[in-house]
Amino acid sequence: MGDQLSHTELERRDAFARRWLNDLLAAHPDVDTEAVGFHVKLTQRGKWIGWYMRDHHGDGRISMVLRCEPDRRHVLEAVHPETFGGVPYVGKRPRIGAWLDHDAVAWDSIEDVFASAVRATAAKVRAR
């Protein structure tokens, strides 16, 4: 999906996306973060919600992978194909990938997916 960004452009877009992520996390104080290299693991009471990733496996991209129900994933991929895509390497688990490094990022839709992932994870945590 597109060419790799120059190092300078990757840095600029990563800084913007991390500010956006910090604002998003401020609205969800129950979400924990763990820095893993350039990546950020997102959990809620030990349950996985997603990852923020920079240059994952050297792809030169900025992205997120989030918990997302399959029906919703297919709709998002159809409506915002420049932002959303399936994540083939996570097997049968319901996940969606989101590119954060282009000019037409569907930020509101990503925020909605994130909020849904937080709610779904909270429900699982309460059910334990």
Side-chain angles (χ1 to χ4, degrees):
M1 201 165 161
D3 297 324
Q4 280 193 352
L5 300 172
S6 70
H7 179 73
T8 302
E9 187 64 10
L10 179 69
E11 292 290 328
R12 186 183 73 75
R13 291 186 187 225
D14 182 46
F16 177 86
R18 284 180 189 268
R19 284 191 302 274
W20 168 83
L21 179 62
N22 287 335
D23 290 345
L24 182 63
L25 291 169
H28 299 277
D30 52 334
V31 174
D32 298 313
T33 62
E34 176 186 347
V36 181
F38 288 123
H39 307 331
V40 179
K41 183 179 180 181
L42 308 166
T43 60
Q44 187 175 35
R45 293 190 181 171
K47 289 285 195 181
W48 186 89
I49 294 173
W51 281 91
Y52 172 92
M53 296 177 290
R54 175 186 155 180
D55 199 25
H56 185 59
H57 295 300
D59 66 0
R61 303 293 310 261
I62 301 165
S63 61
M64 285 185 85
V65 174
L66 293 167
R67 179 184 305 274
C68 181
E69 293 307 313
D71 291 345
R72 186 168 189 200
R73 186 186 96 196
H74 297 306
V75 170
L76 289 166
E77 290 172 347
V79 173
H80 300 291
E82 69 286 349
T83 296
F84 293 104
V87 185
Y89 52 84
V90 294
K92 64 181 178 156
R93 297 181 185 268
R95 309 285 189 251
I96 192 165
W99 298 118
L100 308 179
D101 58 3
H102 58 88
D103 295 329
V105 175
W107 297 106
D108 289 345
S109 294
I110 298 169
E111 289 175 15
D112 288 344
V113 171
F114 182 83
S116 293
V118 170
R119 284 190 302 274
T121 303
K124 287 187 175 205
V125 169
R126 282 191 301 273
R128 283 199 250 178

